[in-house]
Amino acid sequence: MPDTGTPSLTRLRLTFATRRTLAHVSVLDLGRIWERSLRRAAVPLRYSQGFNPRPRMQFAAPLPTGCGGEAELLDIWLDEPRTPDEIAAALEGKLPPDLHLRRVEAVVPDAPPLADLLRASHYRLLLRGVEVAPAARAVEALLARTEVLRPRRGRRRDRMYDLRPLILELRAAPAGKPWDVALWMHLRAEVGATGRPDEVLAALGFDDLPRRCTRERLILAAQEGADGR
Amino acid sequence: MDNPITWERIESLLHRVQKPGRYVGGEYNAIHKPWEKTDLHVCLAFPDIYDLGMSNYALMLLYDILNGAEGILAERTYLPAPDMIAEMRRAGLPLYTLESYRPVAAFDLLAMSTAYEQLFLNALELMDLAGLPIRAAERDERHPLVLGGGHGTFNPEPITDFVDAFVIGEAEELILEIAGVMRRTRGLPREAQLRELARLPGLYVPRFYRARYHVDGTIAAVEPTVPEAPATIFKRLVPRLTPTPLRQIVPNVSIIHDRAVVEIQRGCTRGCRFCQAGAVTRPVRERPPEEIAEAVEGLLRETGYEEIALLSLSSADYSRILPLMEALKRRFAERHVSFSLPSLRIESFSVDLADSLSGGRHSGFTFAPEAATDHLRRRINKYISAEQLFTVAEEVFRRGWRTLKLYFMIGLPDETDEDVVAIADLARAVLRLGRRIAGRRVEVRVGVSTFVPKPHTVFQSEPLVEEEAARRRLALLRQQVRGRGLHLGWNDYRATRIEALLARGDRRLNPLVELAWRKGARFDAWDDWSNYDAWDAAIAELGIDLDFYLYRRRSEAERFPWDHLHSGVDRRFLLRELRRSERGELLPDCRHRCYACGIYTHFGKDYGSEEWQCPIPALHR
């Protein structure tokens, strides 16, 4: 799809952060939170047709329950054009305390869905109850493996998948109090091939440690390459 | 001890529990008043999980009223689910409020909903998780004063050892009076403070009452032991409905009833003889339609909710319901908002209403005929003829619904096996009718619960149905309500028995409540979490006589454990109604003519207002 259209101010891309309390909601919850926030702000959302009209909104990628995000992406569609500044102003004071709007930009209406553009996610996990040296050794051992088989989630639990190719980068570093270790993870995030931070923790044997998980960045394909896969 | 619990301590438990968003607060419209700049700190508690408690309208109202008052801070807490309770106990983390994460024990007042019997043991669990002694006698002025409220307080006798005071009736005004007395008596010993509180009309301080018993175990008297405590405590009521709180808290995680609320009507004039809510919430007060529309406007602006529930005990009885719904639909047509009306009566009119609300979506239609035979419908004063029911059911299927839910009770007074078989016959007949109109995909879902004779109702002197009869009748239904298109749902008789025991109990059941809790009973309303074995063991250990509490018919002269608490409806009226019931006579809706239940006699003079749906009784004209 050629990326030559001009933004019509009816599709806007919101960059936002969720912290603390909002790290503990599901992706469905986050959808409802955004919908109600936008309604409070009287943003003219575009609704679907039918018996149960829903506003048209798309996240780049579901944020796992238990993870906050520093630069999450959401596309919204409007019935009437609004400038990014108008949207930002309307949302002032309408968001729950741990939801922060960082940027609004106009998008060409027929730009590909965010989910198709996503390539990778960067996570930072702070852990308590493990020292840096053993954490680093566990990371090294995991990265040395050629295959890390894990049971699939959901209904097909009996099937296994290989987590190893989904880990692009993984390292352990010391962290400030009250944490002991910071784990940096770059995980693949493409349709049908998405690495999850709790899966990596489990593979490291750290799944029961107190943690704080943050998705720091979403890595998108360069716009012009989006349709060239 | 007043200091908030750190976020890190709470956060460190969250990866181990289901749905952690329940335990962290952070919702839009939650109120964070400064602790140091307020001098009375109230914790509002619902002793079941967040998912249920967040939609409790009474707590929403009190949160709004208390936080609206100068110098008062109100925060919320709920009972965590068992997994989180276990994690908190293991980590030594006491129960905290969702606004400031302060321990519940740091508050001056713990105002807890004791709205129904299944919350009673959870109330003990909540206090214990907060680190408070569960027994009132072991708490003093260093602990929060513990207040109970909700319909359950119309017989709070089984939990009088644990709660310091109960609000009888509506709390909107009384809660501020309680706050006033607490400020005035700050620093006094708990006992002295409670004596001052006992003067407030509608507040029941059980420690200042003593029960005496006859040799046969029935109650001789429940009498005050101090001059401040009145012999009879009349419920409180507000003359007109309190303004709708507009900044209703919008939860971050899904809850059971996830919508904004406007109470359009309180009380009910129908007079169903089994219904406690209808008996204790009289008189009927309606909110004017213009006020409802303004509330909806405000709620959309302040909450962003896409659904608004219009609360009442019987929606179709709101006198201007059709014009109201038409006006709301017209005014909010472009706003993508849906309205829900609970409790529709079995009338074509209800189908019109529901159809106009559905926006073309017809998921399931619910009716509660309660009984399937003519004589029982007369007995309970919820009359509907078979023809009328079929006509309405036909209308439901014609308008496009495919699922009809029908709720019934078993164990009603004078019920026989034939009455129960009639439920199955009725369900099958409705299914046949539905199939004729709407085809093979039609479903009839039958829900049966077991009748519990509740205090302050016409049937308060009736026995609970025996276990053997209840099980036999349920088995009949299970045999006959089966096959394609028919579904049957029912509740466990053991749960009903506990509910009935707590509903009907007296002060001598306090040790049972404590022992059952110590043995692990709690979450009595939950299939997965309840523990009826613990209850049974406690009942056996203490030798509780179930025949005495549940299975005997009481005489007209017997004093009930709750007789010192007055709902405004007189015993005389209830007895007259009981006789009419036995004769199979109906009592019409009292909106058109007064049958002298007592509410107007007791409250009309001081409180009566234009919005009451009470025709003035002859003796007051």
Side-chain angles (χ1 to χ4, degrees):
Chain A
M1 217 172 286
D3 191 14
T4 52
T6 39
S8 67
L9 299 179
T10 56
R11 177 175 173 182
L12 292 120
R13 183 158 295 167
L14 278 51
T15 307
F16 64 93
T18 63
R19 300 184 184 132
R20 276 170 68 106
T21 63
L22 285 187
H24 300 281
V25 306
S26 73
V27 65
L28 286 177
D29 295 329
L30 197 57
R32 263 190 304 269
I33 289 166
W34 265 114
E35 179 182 342
R36 290 172 183 164
S37 298
L38 290 161
R39 287 172 58 93
R40 289 192 289 267
V43 171
L45 295 169
R46 179 180 302 167
Y47 280 79
S48 60
Q49 301 295 309
F51 287 157
N52 186 21
R54 309 296 314 152
R56 188 162 175 208
M57 296 175 20
Q58 282 175 356
F59 289 109
L63 197 51
T65 305
C67 266
E70 281 303 314
E72 295 297 304
L73 295 170
L74 170 69
D75 278 3
I76 61 172
W77 278 260
L78 308 183
D79 265 345
E80 301 160 26
R82 291 284 188 280
T83 66
D85 286 349
E86 283 169 338
I87 296 297
L91 281 166
E92 194 76 39
K94 307 295 182 193
L95 302 177
D98 290 323
L99 180 57
H100 305 277
L101 183 66
R102 306 185 68 170
R103 189 173 170 192
V104 185
E105 60 203 306
V107 182
V108 287
D110 57 359
L114 276 168
D116 289 356
L117 296 175
L118 188 65
R119 293 292 173 266
S121 301
H122 292 185
Y123 291 93
R124 183 192 62 180
L125 280 87
L126 299 171
L127 300 178
R128 190 155 59 238
V130 60
E131 296 304 313
V132 178
R137 278 196 300 277
V139 164
E140 219 171 294
L142 185 69
L143 292 177
R145 289 163 63 180
T146 52
E147 194 181 58
V148 179
L149 290 181
R150 301 272 314 155
R152 282 186 184 280
R153 299 163 57 85
R155 274 178 300 152
R156 294 156 76 195
R157 267 179 202 286
D158 49 327
R159 305 259 300 266
M160 305 292 277
Y161 76 97
D162 188 1
L163 174 64
R164 183 60 190 88
L166 304 179
I167 305 174
L168 304 175
E169 213 183 311
L170 178 62
R171 62 195 163 84
K177 281 229 168 272
W179 307 100
D180 298 319
V181 171
L183 283 179
W184 300 86
M185 301 180 187
H186 295 184
L187 304 179
R188 267 179 72 186
E190 290 171 37
V191 178
T194 297
R196 293 177 50 98
D198 50 342
E199 288 284 280
V200 178
L201 269 194
L204 289 167
F206 298 155
D207 42 348
D208 200 35
L209 297 181
R211 83 285 303 263
R212 179 179 297 167
C213 175
T214 310
R215 183 150 71 185
E216 305 256 292
R217 270 185 80 191
L218 295 171
I219 308 299
L220 302 186
Q223 291 285 319
E224 54 273 11
D227 55 337
R229 289 186 291 136
Chain B
M1 181 168 105
D2 279 10
N3 287 334
I5 291 165
T6 61
W7 167 249
E8 284 73 20
R9 281 190 76 194
I10 295 168
E11 184 186 33
S12 69
L13 306 181
L14 298 177
H15 65 287
R16 292 215 178 108
V17 300
Q18 295 284 310
K19 216 169 162 183
R22 292 165 176 156
Y23 308 118
V24 297
E27 307 97 332
Y28 189 79
N29 282 339
I31 298 170
H32 299 256
K33 277 185 147 181
W35 184 266
E36 286 78 17
K37 289 187 181 146
T38 45
D39 67 351
L40 191 80
H41 304 133
V42 182
C43 173
L44 293 171
F46 190 87
D48 207 313
I49 61 171
Y50 182 89
D51 313 39
L52 270 181
M54 269 294 283
S55 30
N56 184 278
Y57 181 63
L59 290 179
M60 282 184 214
L61 260 181
L62 297 181
Y63 187 76
D64 188 64
I65 290 169
L66 288 166
N67 279 313
E70 188 83 24
I72 301 177
L73 162 153
E75 302 192 348
R76 298 160 299 141
T77 198
Y78 304 90
L79 187 61
D83 61 346
M84 183 63 171
I85 293 178
E87 292 299 333
M88 288 171 71
R89 289 190 185 280
R90 193 160 59 169
L93 202 69
L95 187 66
Y96 55 88
T97 56
L98 293 183
E99 281 80 3
S100 68
Y101 304 147
R102 279 196 171 75
V104 169
F107 286 74
D108 300 306
L109 178 63
L110 170 59
M112 203 167 11
S113 174
T114 48
Y116 47 94
E117 295 79 9
Q118 288 95 335
L119 295 179
F120 287 4
L121 264 61
N122 285 8
L124 269 57
E125 178 74 7
L126 189 145
M127 286 191 274
D128 187 66
L129 192 62
L132 302 174
I134 60 164
R135 292 191 195 144
E138 288 166 22
R139 295 190 300 263
D140 58 31
E141 53 282 3
R142 292 167 304 178
H143 302 109
L145 191 137
V146 178
L147 188 68
H151 294 180
T153 66
F154 279 93
N155 180 25
E157 294 302 285
I159 52 170
T160 48
D161 285 355
F162 315 108
V163 177
D164 295 303
F166 293 97
V167 169
I168 311 299
E170 298 167 4
E172 289 111 313
E173 295 172 346
L174 184 50
I175 194 77
L176 291 177
E177 295 164 21
I178 292 168
V181 173
M182 289 192 65
R183 282 164 148 168
R184 196 152 48 66
T185 56
R186 191 184 295 282
L188 286 188
R190 177 57 45 88
E191 187 89 354
Q193 188 173 45
L194 284 168
R195 282 180 74 149
E196 283 306 307
L197 285 166
R199 294 176 192 274
L200 292 174
L203 194 67
Y204 172 43
V205 184
R207 72 175 63 184
F208 299 136
Y209 294 78
R210 185 184 51 217
R212 289 191 292 108
Y213 303 93
H214 294 301
V215 280
D216 66 359
T218 59
I219 292 191
V222 179
E223 298 159 328
T225 56
V226 298
E228 291 87 349
T232 300
I233 294 137
F234 276 90
K235 78 166 181 188
R236 283 296 287 271
L237 60 80
V238 292
R240 53 170 51 80
L241 296 182
T242 313
T244 306
L246 299 181
R247 297 196 174 160
Q248 294 177 16
I249 298 175
V250 185
N252 289 328
V253 293
S254 63
I255 60 171
I256 292 179
H257 296 295
D258 198 0
R259 74 279 192 271
V261 173
V262 183
E263 186 186 28
I264 63 169
Q265 176 178 283
R266 195 178 294 182
C268 180
T269 49
R270 292 281 178 168
C272 300
R273 293 173 178 132
F274 56 85
C275 178
Q276 191 188 38
V280 302
T281 59
R282 292 182 169 211
V284 169
R285 285 144 289 169
E286 290 192 349
R287 194 181 298 283
E290 322 72 73
E291 199 184 312
I292 295 170
E294 281 311 303
V296 169
E297 184 74 55
L299 284 168
L300 293 180
R301 184 181 65 236
E302 300 293 344
T303 68
Y305 261 118
E306 58 292 327
E307 183 183 338
I308 308 242
L310 304 176
L311 283 195
S312 71
L313 288 175
S314 181
S315 304
D317 286 334
Y318 180 83
S319 59
R320 288 154 286 181
I321 189 76
L322 268 187
L324 170 70
M325 295 318 298
E326 272 157 25
L328 291 180
K329 275 175 58 188
R330 214 173 319 116
R331 178 158 171 189
F332 300 103
E334 303 301 314
R335 307 280 288 273
H336 298 285
V337 59
S338 64
F339 295 96
S340 64
L341 287 171
S343 311
L344 289 171
R345 297 183 61 83
I346 309 172
E347 297 162 337
S348 313
F349 175 61
S350 303
V351 189
D352 290 343
L353 259 183
D355 202 18
S356 76
L357 288 181
S358 67
R361 204 161 150 239
H362 294 97
S363 44
F365 205 100
T366 305
F367 280 132
E370 315 291 3
T373 51
D374 222 57
H375 81 99
L376 275 188
R377 289 173 182 154
R378 290 179 180 279
R379 191 83 159 82
I380 63 178
N381 201 41
K382 189 168 181 182
Y383 187 74
I384 173 159
S385 68
E387 304 86 87
Q388 195 186 346
L389 194 142
F390 287 124
T391 311
V392 175
E394 195 173 324
E395 194 58 32
V396 168
F397 293 120
R398 271 196 210 294
R399 299 283 183 103
W401 276 277
R402 294 287 170 271
T403 302
L404 183 58
K405 294 181 207 159
L406 297 171
Y407 288 118
F408 295 93
M409 282 190 285
I410 58 172
L412 287 166
D414 292 346
E415 179 186 81
T416 63
D417 289 5
E418 286 69 41
D419 291 311
V420 175
V421 171
I423 296 176
D425 294 342
L426 179 66
R428 283 196 302 262
V430 170
L431 181 67
R432 276 195 303 275
L433 173 94
R435 284 188 170 161
R436 211 173 58 229
I437 297 164
R440 297 287 294 172
R441 278 176 44 239
V442 164
E443 248 185 25
V444 175
R445 297 182 161 267
V446 177
V448 280
S449 57
T450 306
F451 165 66
V452 173
K454 290 280 169 101
H456 304 278
T457 66
V458 175
F459 289 156
Q460 61 178 344
S461 52
E462 295 292 321
L464 176 72
V465 63
E466 300 269 356
E467 178 163 13
E468 196 272 326
R471 291 200 187 278
R472 186 181 65 244
R473 289 173 191 160
L474 188 58
L476 283 171
L477 282 178
R478 290 175 66 181
Q479 269 166 31
Q480 300 193 20
V481 182
R482 65 199 303 175
R484 195 185 147 97
L486 282 176
H487 294 266
L488 179 69
W490 66 89
N491 60 348
D492 186 345
Y493 184 81
R494 296 215 286 176
T496 304
R497 182 163 53 204
I498 300 307
E499 181 190 338
L501 188 59
L502 291 173
R504 313 197 50 82
D506 57 34
R507 294 193 166 206
R508 291 167 295 187
L509 291 192
N510 277 282
L512 173 68
V513 166
E514 182 169 342
L515 186 62
W517 173 72
R518 291 206 184 278
K519 286 179 180 296
R522 60 211 61 182
F523 288 108
D524 287 328
W526 294 85
D527 287 344
D528 297 346
W529 299 335
S530 56
N531 185 347
Y532 302 127
D533 291 340
W535 268 109
D536 290 345
I539 288 169
E541 191 171 322
L542 295 177
I544 300 295
D545 182 355
L546 295 179
D547 287 336
F548 174 81
Y549 283 105
L550 301 179
Y551 299 121
R552 70 194 169 87
R553 185 180 304 276
R554 286 149 168 84
S555 81
E556 288 193 3
E558 181 170 340
R559 242 197 108 81
F560 295 122
W562 51 86
D563 274 354
H564 54 300
L565 307 174
H566 205 303
S567 72
V569 174
D570 288 321
R571 180 84 179 261
R572 274 197 316 275
F573 170 79
L574 296 175
L575 283 172
R576 277 204 306 276
E577 264 293 274
L578 184 61
R579 284 188 214 108
R580 269 194 285 263
S581 168
E582 285 160 358
R583 292 195 299 266
E585 287 174 21
L586 295 170
L587 187 76
D589 190 323
C590 68
R591 203 176 276 259
H592 313 297
R593 194 191 131 188
C594 178
Y595 298 93
C597 70
I599 198 80
Y600 198 91
T601 318
H602 294 300
F603 293 100
K605 185 158 42 68
D606 299 334
Y607 287 106
S609 89
E610 290 294 305
E611 281 133 47
W612 287 26
Q613 302 298 308
C614 271
I616 298 170
L619 68 154
H620 293 283
R621 261 189 219 122

